Amino acid sequence: MKATQGAKYVDPTFLRNWNEAQKYEISRSAYHFFTTFDPPQSQASNIATTLKKVNFQPGYNGLVIDVEGDSCLVEVDTMSRNVLSLITLLEEMYNFPVFIYTRANYWNACINTTWNNVWLKRPLWVAYYSDTAKQPVLPKPWSSSGTWVLWQYSQTCRMPGIKGNVDLSYLNPNLTDMSQFGKNVAVKSTSSNLFQPANIYLLINLLNSMYKTLIIM
């Protein structure tokens, strides 16, 4: 669920959404919408201050940085340094890997995709909307390795008890080794029957259980 954006904005429904989800034992994860012109340190402070209000627990609650937009607003290397700085600050703060959520066309145009070792250390949640595709279109450098963790395939699904559209995602059925995202993390097996539509909160909870003993590289 959306928590924050940039250096100052806090979603006015975040606290209520988080607490209501907890009441009904729905697994919770928070995402921050990255803002181009706000310093990474200020954005990290906004995230940390907001998550303290809901007793955020790394290793149980997931954290995602949403990197997308309609166009590139700053030079590619500047944008890349700022995104990486924010992610690094949060990983040092929580000792837990931060998901990158993005679309291939935006990431490839606005981020330095040659920083392979930097980006491939982070788990990818890719947005690619399709009812028929068997694989998502991935941004670089993940497109070379074929590595993705979550694929948001729709933003217009419906679920009982929820008014309006719901985002739904797939979990990668071939994800058998999480060690590229940190030390002491390995999943022995992942059944192919996991490749089915699922509530994103349940997927994040499953992934969190894989990361409980994580030490950031």
Short mmCIF file of all heavy atoms in Angstrom, two decimals, residues 156-168 197-202:
data_model
loop_
_atom_site.label_atom_id
_atom_site.label_comp_id
_atom_site.label_asym_id
_atom_site.label_seq_id
_atom_site.Cartn_x
_atom_site.Cartn_y
_atom_site.Cartn_z
N THR A 156 -6.51 -3.68 -13.15
CA THR A 156 -7.96 -3.53 -13.28
C THR A 156 -8.72 -4.78 -12.84
O THR A 156 -9.84 -5.02 -13.29
CB THR A 156 -8.33 -3.20 -14.74
OG1 THR A 156 -7.85 -4.23 -15.60
CG2 THR A 156 -7.75 -1.85 -15.16
N CYS A 157 -8.12 -5.59 -11.98
CA CYS A 157 -8.80 -6.79 -11.50
C CYS A 157 -9.80 -6.42 -10.40
O CYS A 157 -9.74 -5.33 -9.82
CB CYS A 157 -7.80 -7.81 -10.97
SG CYS A 157 -6.85 -8.61 -12.27
N ARG A 158 -10.70 -7.33 -10.11
CA ARG A 158 -11.67 -7.13 -9.05
C ARG A 158 -11.58 -8.28 -8.06
O ARG A 158 -11.31 -9.42 -8.43
CB ARG A 158 -13.10 -7.06 -9.62
CG ARG A 158 -13.28 -6.04 -10.74
CD ARG A 158 -12.90 -4.63 -10.28
NE ARG A 158 -13.85 -4.11 -9.32
CZ ARG A 158 -14.81 -3.24 -9.61
NH1 ARG A 158 -14.95 -2.82 -10.87
NH2 ARG A 158 -15.63 -2.78 -8.68
N MET A 159 -11.80 -7.94 -6.77
CA MET A 159 -11.79 -8.96 -5.73
C MET A 159 -12.98 -8.75 -4.81
O MET A 159 -13.36 -7.60 -4.53
CB MET A 159 -10.49 -8.89 -4.92
CG MET A 159 -9.24 -9.25 -5.71
SD MET A 159 -7.79 -9.41 -4.66
CE MET A 159 -8.20 -10.91 -3.77
N PRO A 160 -13.57 -9.85 -4.32
CA PRO A 160 -14.72 -9.73 -3.41
C PRO A 160 -14.36 -8.91 -2.17
O PRO A 160 -13.29 -9.09 -1.59
CB PRO A 160 -15.02 -11.19 -3.04
CG PRO A 160 -14.44 -12.00 -4.15
CD PRO A 160 -13.23 -11.24 -4.61
N GLY A 161 -15.24 -7.99 -1.80
CA GLY A 161 -15.04 -7.20 -0.60
C GLY A 161 -14.25 -5.93 -0.81
O GLY A 161 -14.09 -5.14 0.13
N ILE A 162 -13.73 -5.71 -2.03
CA ILE A 162 -12.95 -4.50 -2.32
C ILE A 162 -13.65 -3.71 -3.41
O ILE A 162 -13.95 -4.24 -4.48
CB ILE A 162 -11.52 -4.86 -2.76
CG1 ILE A 162 -10.79 -5.62 -1.65
CG2 ILE A 162 -10.74 -3.59 -3.13
CD1 ILE A 162 -9.39 -6.05 -2.01
N LYS A 163 -13.92 -2.45 -3.14
CA LYS A 163 -14.54 -1.58 -4.12
C LYS A 163 -13.48 -1.06 -5.09
O LYS A 163 -12.41 -0.64 -4.68
CB LYS A 163 -15.23 -0.41 -3.44
CG LYS A 163 -16.41 -0.81 -2.56
CD LYS A 163 -17.05 0.42 -1.93
CE LYS A 163 -18.23 0.02 -1.05
NZ LYS A 163 -18.87 1.20 -0.41
N GLY A 164 -13.79 -1.08 -6.36
CA GLY A 164 -12.87 -0.55 -7.35
C GLY A 164 -11.87 -1.59 -7.83
O GLY A 164 -11.93 -2.78 -7.47
N ASN A 165 -10.93 -1.14 -8.65
CA ASN A 165 -9.95 -2.03 -9.25
C ASN A 165 -8.85 -2.42 -8.26
O ASN A 165 -8.55 -1.68 -7.33
CB ASN A 165 -9.32 -1.37 -10.47
CG ASN A 165 -10.31 -1.18 -11.60
OD1 ASN A 165 -11.24 -1.98 -11.75
ND2 ASN A 165 -10.14 -0.14 -12.38
N VAL A 166 -8.25 -3.57 -8.51
CA VAL A 166 -7.19 -4.10 -7.66
C VAL A 166 -6.00 -4.49 -8.53
O VAL A 166 -6.17 -5.06 -9.60
CB VAL A 166 -7.68 -5.34 -6.88
CG1 VAL A 166 -6.55 -5.96 -6.06
CG2 VAL A 166 -8.84 -4.98 -5.97
N ASP A 167 -4.79 -4.15 -8.07
CA ASP A 167 -3.57 -4.59 -8.75
C ASP A 167 -3.29 -6.04 -8.38
O ASP A 167 -3.32 -6.39 -7.19
CB ASP A 167 -2.37 -3.74 -8.33
CG ASP A 167 -2.51 -2.28 -8.72
OD1 ASP A 167 -3.34 -1.99 -9.60
OD2 ASP A 167 -1.80 -1.45 -8.14
N LEU A 168 -3.00 -6.87 -9.37
CA LEU A 168 -2.64 -8.26 -9.10
C LEU A 168 -1.32 -8.59 -9.78
O LEU A 168 -0.98 -8.04 -10.82
CB LEU A 168 -3.73 -9.22 -9.58
CG LEU A 168 -5.04 -9.21 -8.79
CD1 LEU A 168 -6.00 -10.26 -9.36
CD2 LEU A 168 -4.79 -9.49 -7.32
N PRO A 197 -2.68 -15.93 -10.28
CA PRO A 197 -3.03 -14.64 -9.70
C PRO A 197 -3.16 -14.75 -8.19
O PRO A 197 -3.68 -15.72 -7.67
CB PRO A 197 -4.39 -14.33 -10.35
CG PRO A 197 -4.39 -15.10 -11.62
CD PRO A 197 -3.63 -16.36 -11.32
N ALA A 198 -2.66 -13.75 -7.50
CA ALA A 198 -2.74 -13.77 -6.03
C ALA A 198 -2.76 -12.35 -5.50
O ALA A 198 -2.22 -11.44 -6.12
CB ALA A 198 -1.54 -14.53 -5.45
N ASN A 199 -3.37 -12.18 -4.36
CA ASN A 199 -3.35 -10.89 -3.69
C ASN A 199 -1.91 -10.51 -3.41
O ASN A 199 -1.15 -11.28 -2.84
CB ASN A 199 -4.14 -11.01 -2.38
CG ASN A 199 -4.30 -9.69 -1.68
OD1 ASN A 199 -3.37 -8.91 -1.59
ND2 ASN A 199 -5.49 -9.44 -1.19
N ILE A 200 -1.51 -9.30 -3.79
CA ILE A 200 -0.11 -8.91 -3.70
C ILE A 200 0.40 -8.94 -2.27
O ILE A 200 1.57 -9.23 -2.02
CB ILE A 200 0.12 -7.53 -4.33
CG1 ILE A 200 1.61 -7.30 -4.56
CG2 ILE A 200 -0.47 -6.42 -3.49
CD1 ILE A 200 2.23 -8.30 -5.46
N TYR A 201 -0.45 -8.69 -1.30
CA TYR A 201 0.00 -8.70 0.09
C TYR A 201 0.42 -10.11 0.50
O TYR A 201 1.38 -10.30 1.25
CB TYR A 201 -1.09 -8.18 1.01
CG TYR A 201 -1.55 -6.79 0.66
CD1 TYR A 201 -2.89 -6.54 0.40
CD2 TYR A 201 -0.65 -5.74 0.56
CE1 TYR A 201 -3.33 -5.27 0.06
CE2 TYR A 201 -1.08 -4.47 0.20
CZ TYR A 201 -2.41 -4.24 -0.04
OH TYR A 201 -2.82 -2.99 -0.39
N LEU A 202 -0.29 -11.12 0.02
CA LEU A 202 0.06 -12.49 0.34
C LEU A 202 1.38 -12.87 -0.31
O LEU A 202 2.19 -13.59 0.27
CB LEU A 202 -1.06 -13.44 -0.10
CG LEU A 202 -2.42 -13.21 0.56
CD1 LEU A 202 -3.43 -14.22 0.03
CD2 LEU A 202 -2.31 -13.30 2.07
#
